[in-house]
Amino acid sequence: MTTVARLVLGGVLIAAGALKIGNPADSVVAVKAYQLLPESIAVAVGYALPILEIVVGVLLVVGLLTRVASVIAGLLMFAFVFGIAWAWTHGLRIDCGCFGGGGQLGVGQEPTYLLDILRDFGLVLLGAWAARFPPGRFALDGALGLGGDTRDEGEDER
């Protein structure tokens, strides 16, 4: 189960980062649209976010520093849940920018806040699971002796 959790979470992070990294200006626009951060911090976060998503995603997929990467990924997803909830409660009409794009919605477009929150909260739970349990048999942590017990939760000890 932990292997599946880290592969899904890592894959989502890699995809999200890869879709943003080619056009970091869009990522900056998306971060600014939430109106949560001062301008200079929003710009820095917008540029750094795709890189962070890809790095953490790769660590999860290969199973290296799995618990640390899982905690970072879970906190990142929780921050996204918070940001989307903030936008929703403050009446902002924005695209979450989760997979590129972002910013103000056009005329006739509706936000998908509930679906975005549910998706990201599910990813928070995957991050918590991967942080709590051993990284699984197919993780570099085990091969390098970094992860302790590499069996997935519920796997036989045979």
Side-chain angles (χ1 to χ4, degrees):
M1 177 63 192
T2 307
T3 300
V4 171
R6 66 182 177 77
L7 290 176
V8 169
L9 183 54
V12 168
L13 285 170
I14 291 168
L19 289 169
K20 292 177 207 159
I21 204 157
N23 194 351
D26 283 352
S27 182
V28 171
V29 168
V31 172
K32 285 181 180 180
Y34 284 92
Q35 301 175 16
L36 266 167
L37 302 171
E39 175 85 11
S40 61
I41 295 174
V43 170
V45 168
Y47 280 108
L49 187 59
I51 297 164
L52 178 63
E53 289 173 328
I54 291 169
V55 169
V56 172
V58 168
L59 289 173
L60 286 168
V61 167
V62 299
L64 184 60
L65 303 173
T66 304
R67 286 201 164 112
V68 171
S70 298
V71 168
I72 293 169
L75 291 173
L76 194 55
M77 290 300 145
F78 185 78
F80 295 156
V81 168
F82 178 83
I84 295 165
W86 168 274
W88 195 1
T89 60
H90 285 82
L92 302 178
R93 294 183 37 78
I94 62 173
D95 177 324
C96 75
C98 302
F99 295 95
Q104 300 299 318
L105 290 173
V107 175
Q109 291 181 303
E110 292 299 320
T112 57
Y113 297 138
L114 181 59
L115 291 175
D116 296 335
I117 288 170
L118 291 173
R119 178 200 58 227
D120 289 351
F121 189 72
L123 294 169
V124 168
L125 296 176
L126 291 180
W129 182 279
R132 165 64 181 91
F133 295 105
R137 177 178 308 178
F138 303 107
L140 280 180
D141 284 342
L144 299 173
L146 299 173
D149 186 1
T150 59
R151 289 176 288 121
D152 273 336
E153 183 66 18
E155 189 177 296
D156 274 348
E157 291 190 35
R158 291 182 246 207

